[in-house]
Amino acid sequence: MKPCPTEYSTRVTGYLEERFGLPRELFDGYALWLGSGGRIYLGPLPPSLPVEIATCGLMIARVQRTIKPSTALFQLLGYHVTRARIELTDAQTKAYVAGEDVAPSPEQIADVRIGYVCLTHDGIAIGCGLLKNGMIENVLPKAVRLKLSYV
Amino acid sequence: MTTPIPKIFRDRYGPLVDDPDAFFDACQTEPLRSFRINRLKTTRDNIIDRFAKHGLNICQAPWYHNAFWFEKWPDGPTLEQFAGLIQMQELASMLPPLVIYKELSLAKRVFDTCAAPGSKTTQMAAMMNNQQLIVANDKNFRRIAALRFNLDKAGVINTVVTNEDLRQYPSAEFDVVLLDAPCSAEGTVRKNPTLLNRWSLRRIHSCATTQRQLILSAYDLLKPNGVLVYSTCTFAPEENEGVLTHLLTNRNAEIEPIDLPGLKYSTGLPSFQNTQYNTSIKRVIRVWPHRNNTDGFFIAKVRKP
């Protein structure tokens, strides 16, 4: 775990601003950190500590060939997302949280380009999805999937 | 089926409580399904409105405006849980951060010494509104994964995680240190009734030996005028008053009084069996399961002059 090199952090914040309308100023006062496997964390500014930092803050994205925003990012900052945002119905929310892919209506994706999207329901940011071939592919980590009692 | 309470357990703790029958009954009662509202992601009013809309009755703990329990447990997990708007957390486990509420609002650097799985770390991060710095440490690498999961779930961004043995932690200075010490966990008997099958005095003494080392290390990481909170979820005086007395004997520490309006608690024990404790121990608090329908807890607030 080390502070994120500038080229990485600029690429990530640029992508989040361009695709989701998340202003870079949201990250002011914090730092981006680079972990293993291209994982990017939003955490505190590097502190003066006499020990190695194992991990920090919130895992916000994974950078490989493309940038994949995390569910944790949208669950915290999804309320600031102004683009590539899809509001799910009750049934879609239940299915998506349980780990299923979801078929959106044409109206739901009218203004959304293919790629990663921020999913919301009734004022709650659900997480990240992948809009592709007219479907929202489920990219929720298996560990967070749940069979909800209601939505 | 409830696990019978061993006679030696009854003989040890019966004389310490105001109503032994109620205490032992409470130890065999199922715990409340309690949760804390995560103020990093939502508001109290929003959660109250949402659960009311779905016909779920919730009750607020009298001593903490963000602590609630479900009157009737929902059929399964809720969307609010999934999205991290609420954190399932035992009511008594929310108390240690609560006693340093004011100190947290002023602190620049906070150290959570035995942090995993992170319920108190995430609570402190919410109290600090994700500002300043929390160093969350845990010696056990496997438990760091649970801590990592909970930081993401709660939306915590002011925290770095370290994986060190507190007893060998290099010199550093913190305004606030939380030592929620590994303990014999007797106070969680409602959730883990089988722990009574494994209960032994030997385990208590082994925990107390470790805790005496940990509390000195934790105290030494404080800045002057800094505050240490020492807590356990056990009833054993050897792990509580005994550990505090060890600190007071070896360091120039001061125990501060704790005031939690709405919570029923007793003060520290002046003695247990043949051991006398430091007289300022009366300022610590003991939370018994039958008094508030929570787990058992012990909390001390210590200041470094």
Side-chain angles (χ1 to χ4, degrees):
Chain A
M1 175 70 58
K2 58 184 181 186
C4 206
T6 311
E7 64 268 25
Y8 260 88
S9 48
T10 308
R11 194 175 151 206
V12 171
T13 53
Y15 167 77
L16 294 176
E17 185 165 47
E18 185 272 326
R19 174 142 185 103
F20 300 101
L22 282 174
R24 290 168 201 246
E25 296 74 48
L26 274 177
F27 307 116
D28 285 354
Y30 298 97
L32 296 192
W33 295 71
L34 179 61
S36 61
R39 291 181 182 84
I40 306 290
Y41 296 82
L42 175 62
L45 298 172
S48 139
L49 267 186
V51 294
E52 190 183 337
I53 290 171
T55 182
C56 77
L58 190 82
M59 209 280 272
I60 61 163
R62 193 160 183 182
V63 180
Q64 289 175 324
R65 274 190 307 120
T66 57
I67 299 173
K68 182 204 169 293
S70 73
T71 281
L73 168 76
F74 287 142
Q75 287 189 347
L76 182 67
L77 299 178
Y79 312 98
H80 299 277
V81 169
T82 55
R83 298 192 282 271
R85 176 172 165 157
I86 298 175
E87 173 75 10
L88 299 181
T89 65
D90 286 0
Q92 288 170 336
T93 301
K94 219 166 175 173
Y96 196 81
V97 172
E100 296 169 26
D101 295 343
V102 164
S105 68
E107 295 76 33
Q108 280 177 300
I109 55 171
D111 301 323
V112 185
R113 284 182 288 130
I114 60 165
Y116 290 108
V117 291
C118 172
L119 304 172
T120 60
H121 175 70
D122 190 22
I124 292 185
I126 306 296
C128 182
L130 176 60
L131 180 64
K132 194 173 155 188
N133 301 326
M135 291 288 287
I136 302 171
E137 281 188 14
N138 203 303
V139 293
L140 282 183
K142 287 191 177 65
V144 307
R145 295 175 186 179
L146 289 175
K147 294 230 179 291
L148 295 175
S149 53
Y150 67 86
V151 288
Chain B
M1 197 175 123
T2 55
T3 306
I5 293 179
K7 181 175 181 305
I8 186 171
F9 189 92
R10 286 181 179 274
D11 291 346
R12 256 173 82 85
Y13 298 125
L16 302 186
V17 292
D18 55 344
D19 185 345
D21 289 341
F23 168 62
F24 293 121
D25 282 351
C27 286
Q28 294 181 299
T29 306
E30 223 178 274
L32 297 171
R33 305 289 190 143
S34 54
F35 65 88
R36 174 173 52 80
I37 294 175
N38 180 8
R39 298 294 296 274
L40 293 177
K41 290 191 173 181
T42 189
T43 63
R44 193 172 167 278
D45 288 349
N46 184 36
I47 290 299
I48 291 171
D49 290 348
R50 293 188 71 90
F51 283 141
K53 191 171 87 179
H54 292 291
L56 291 171
N57 292 331
I58 56 172
C59 305
Q60 189 206 305
W63 57 90
Y64 186 25
H65 62 286
N66 287 326
F68 290 80
W69 69 87
F70 288 105
E71 265 188 6
K72 181 178 171 294
W73 183 235
D75 298 332
T78 68
L79 187 60
E80 292 77 9
Q81 263 174 278
F82 167 77
L85 274 55
I86 63 169
Q87 301 262 296
M88 301 308 291
Q89 187 178 356
E90 212 288 322
L91 291 168
S93 145
M94 303 178 202
L95 295 171
L98 209 53
V99 306
I100 42 169
Y101 189 82
K102 279 185 195 153
E103 285 82 0
L104 286 174
S105 66
L106 302 170
K108 300 264 185 262
R109 283 162 68 102
V110 174
F111 189 34
D112 189 354
T113 58
C114 307
S119 56
K120 296 175 193 70
T121 315
T122 55
Q123 184 183 353
M124 291 195 293
M127 287 171 159
M128 296 166 77
N129 198 24
N130 256 338
Q131 301 295 310
Q132 309 303 344
L133 174 72
I134 298 176
V135 178
N137 179 67
D138 206 279
K139 180 189 160 195
N140 187 332
F141 182 74
R142 281 180 302 177
R143 284 166 59 87
I144 298 271
L147 176 59
R148 170 77 265 152
F149 180 88
N150 284 319
L151 294 178
D152 278 343
K153 177 69 96 180
V156 169
I157 51 179
N158 69 338
T159 298
V160 298
V161 177
T162 61
N163 178 212
E164 305 287 334
D165 186 330
L166 174 61
R167 292 167 291 190
Q168 272 104 49
Y169 214 87
S171 174
E173 286 201 320
F174 295 92
D175 303 294
V176 172
V177 174
L178 171 63
L179 172 53
D180 186 43
C183 67
S184 56
E186 293 165 339
T188 66
V189 63
R190 304 174 344 145
K191 187 173 62 188
N192 308 307
T194 56
L195 76 80
L196 289 174
N197 300 333
R198 306 187 300 274
W199 184 86
S200 72
L201 281 176
R202 194 174 158 194
R203 174 153 168 70
I204 288 172
H205 290 131
S206 162
C207 287
T209 302
T210 306
Q211 290 154 353
R212 286 195 294 269
Q213 297 165 352
L214 292 177
I215 200 168
L216 295 183
S217 301
Y219 181 82
D220 290 342
L221 292 169
L222 281 176
K223 281 180 183 169
N225 204 34
V227 168
L228 164 72
V229 173
Y230 176 80
S231 61
T232 72
C233 55
T234 193
F235 308 122
E238 296 90 335
E239 299 181 57
N240 296 324
E241 286 87 348
V243 174
L244 261 294
T245 297
H246 179 72
L247 172 68
L248 296 171
T249 306
N250 289 282
R251 298 288 188 275
N252 184 29
E254 292 170 359
I255 298 188
E256 295 207 329
I258 292 172
D259 185 27
L260 290 171
L263 181 76
K264 297 171 193 155
Y265 51 84
S266 63
T267 54
L269 303 172
S271 64
F272 181 66
Q273 295 174 340
N274 294 322
T275 307
Q276 294 288 322
Y277 297 121
N278 188 293
T279 50
S280 61
I281 293 288
K282 60 178 182 293
R283 292 178 174 164
V284 309
I285 67 168
R286 283 182 159 268
V287 179
W288 300 96
H290 63 296
R291 302 289 301 279
N292 305 281
N293 201 0
T294 64
D295 279 357
F297 238 79
F298 173 93
I299 307 166
K301 182 178 177 184
V302 177
R303 192 171 292 273
K304 186 178 199 173

